[in-house]
Amino acid sequence: MTQPQITVGILSGKEIEFSFPVKFSSSVGTEISGTQKAIYQDGKIHWQGKEYDELSFIPPQNAHAFFKLKDVTIGINFHWERKEVQKFKGELKIIIEGEQLTAINVISIEEYLTSVISSEMSATASLELLKAHAVISRSWLLNKLRVENGEWRVTVQPDSAAHSPLSTLHSQYIKWYDHEAHRNFDVCADDHCQRYQGITRASTPQAIEAVTATRGEVLMYAGTICDARFSKCCGGAFEEFQNCWENVKHPYLIRQRDSKTEKQLPDLNIEAEADKWIRTSPVAFCNTQDKKILSQVLNNYDQETADFYRWKVSYTQQELSTLIHQRSGIDFGQILDLIPIERGTSGRLVRLKIVGTLRTLIIGKELEIRRTLSASHLYSSAFVIDKEYEEKGDKEDKLPSRFILTGAGWGHGVGLCQIGAAVMGEQGYKYEEILSHYYPGSTLEKQYQ
């Protein structure tokens, strides 16, 4: 196997502004430099006074050549969403998708990974952490490129006998997002795939060294490339794959405590155990307040978030009922209760019952719960609920005036915990040890030279 090239969807819109500091060769046979604009109109790409179905721009044979894209959104639907100008090596393709244009970057997988490592993590991270991340990012990507030709699933799963996912009879809406279905490129550039920002942020020598040192290396289990998931902070316990996505159990993504010293993990499927776990601050690699370590994993815009190992969110009755209506599209009326129905191995909610004055519905899985209960994404679905009432008396007759969510972790908690892995790197663990901790039973293998 030779090193693959991949296609990365960067942004979409009616207009795309881009520029070339040096001459690029266009697919129409001209050499182009300077600022350009492509516009979608009547099913065609309009550029320089002519119409096209597709355009591509090839860089010169120059290691330093790059192009710029204006108004790239980062952190889509997350609390730190913003636009910026970004720079990319490799080829630029512009295609038509629906009634807009999409800019695609064609790049070698190893160059892509150097950017991902720099984008996902501060490039000041320890070399062992960066090596571990290079291996899992490469594994995740090569695993995806071999699944269904890169076409991934957004699955709505009716539960039990319900034929409709919104059956009022069974009152369950269980949904998971294993990927936005990208038909025209391999991966997108945002957190829904892996955060890729080209060469916008400088790749430090350590990020380059980490990718070079692990070139072609992937995690394997039973002869197959691992689906190496990762999230920011597991909250002290690993979640299992089937509790977040389709009902498939991966033997290397299993229930475990994020610690080498404390092996005992309570059964967090049990509500009382989960409640105790989430309300306390158990020992774990990712239980750290060390700013030096956190700055390795949390880029500046992520550092706007301070609490993630344990956190609190509070909503008034009005805020919560309005939010749930807006986010789910369902009018529950006023919210009477949020009731945990099923939890995963990390205490993350897999199914949550929303009880309103107008209707009751069980929702899941974890990302659907996080999307429903936040204007962007709730940090995780590992939370417990407290209700406050304005007047004393019989609570059964009253409407809660406030809901307080106390939670653990940030993200789905499956696979590598970035903050935990950063702590392991600082404590002197080698990348192979970090990977065997987060993906038990997996092995390292080189796929290409």
Side-chain angles (χ1 to χ4, degrees), residues 276-418:
K276 185 177 166 189
W277 175 264
I278 291 167
R279 291 186 196 276
T280 55
S281 187
V283 170
F285 283 123
C286 59
N287 185 357
T288 181
Q289 298 291 318
D290 188 327
K291 286 208 159 48
K292 177 174 178 275
I293 292 173
L294 296 180
S295 67
Q296 295 180 15
V297 178
L298 306 174
N299 275 308
N300 292 334
Y301 39 88
D302 281 358
Q303 288 186 55
E304 293 166 14
T305 307
D307 303 318
F308 41 79
Y309 188 71
R310 294 293 181 268
W311 47 264
K312 263 190 169 58
V313 173
S314 173
Y315 295 117
T316 64
Q317 171 66 238
Q318 181 65 49
E319 286 169 343
L320 187 63
S321 53
T322 303
L323 178 68
I324 291 176
H325 188 184
Q326 285 174 346
R327 297 293 284 167
S328 68
I330 301 164
D331 186 1
F332 285 84
Q334 292 181 296
I335 306 300
L336 296 169
D337 211 349
L338 300 173
I339 303 171
I341 298 297
E342 180 189 354
R343 290 189 186 270
T345 56
S346 70
R348 280 166 174 79
L349 283 163
V350 181
R351 293 188 299 152
L352 173 74
K353 184 188 279 189
I354 302 174
V355 182
T357 52
L358 297 182
R359 72 168 299 170
T360 295
L361 184 68
I362 294 171
I363 64 166
K365 294 183 175 182
E366 65 90 31
L367 189 56
E368 188 67 14
I369 293 168
R370 291 166 62 198
R371 286 182 168 186
T372 303
L373 296 181
S374 171
S376 57
H377 290 66
L378 202 63
Y379 295 142
S380 88
S381 70
F383 60 85
V384 290
I385 303 113
D386 292 300
K387 302 185 292 291
E388 289 182 355
Y389 299 83
E390 278 180 353
E391 297 168 40
K392 292 187 165 49
D394 188 356
K395 288 182 179 178
E396 286 178 20
D397 301 333
K398 294 196 172 61
L399 207 59
S401 59
R402 182 173 290 278
F403 288 80
I404 298 156
L405 311 184
T406 302
W410 185 1
H412 50 66
V414 178
L416 183 129
C417 166
Q418 290 178 313

Side-chain angles (χ1 to χ4, degrees), residues 142-263:
L142 288 175
N143 172 284
K144 285 291 158 252
L145 295 183
R146 291 181 174 190
V147 174
E148 301 179 16
N149 301 317
E151 196 171 298
W152 307 341
R153 294 177 294 280
V154 174
T155 316
V156 175
Q157 177 68 20
D159 253 35
S160 66
H163 297 296
S164 155
L166 270 175
S167 162
T168 47
L169 176 67
H170 294 275
S171 293
Q172 291 213 102
Y173 183 65
I174 309 299
K175 184 176 183 180
W176 63 89
Y177 301 76
D178 203 8
H179 212 276
E180 311 296 333
H182 299 316
R183 298 182 184 281
N184 300 310
F185 46 87
D186 297 321
V187 286
C188 69
D190 206 62
D191 290 58
H192 299 286
C193 290
Q194 300 192 86
R195 190 187 292 173
Y196 172 67
Q197 296 164 352
I199 56 168
T200 310
R201 285 166 183 78
S203 299
T204 64
Q206 274 203 310
I208 296 164
E209 185 184 345
V211 173
T212 306
T214 63
R215 182 183 173 87
E217 279 186 14
V218 295
L219 282 174
M220 303 288 291
Y221 189 93
T224 304
I225 298 175
C226 293
D227 187 350
R229 304 290 168 120
F230 59 91
S231 64
K232 276 279 186 284
C233 177
C234 68
F238 304 169
E239 193 47 75
E240 293 191 353
F241 181 92
Q242 73 277 7
N243 293 325
C244 297
W245 299 289
E246 65 182 316
N247 295 317
V248 173
K249 206 170 164 77
H250 292 299
Y252 52 87
L253 296 174
I254 55 168
R255 171 186 186 273
Q256 184 178 296
R257 188 153 174 177
D258 187 25
S259 173
K260 292 284 192 192
T261 54
E262 298 285 340
K263 297 288 191 184

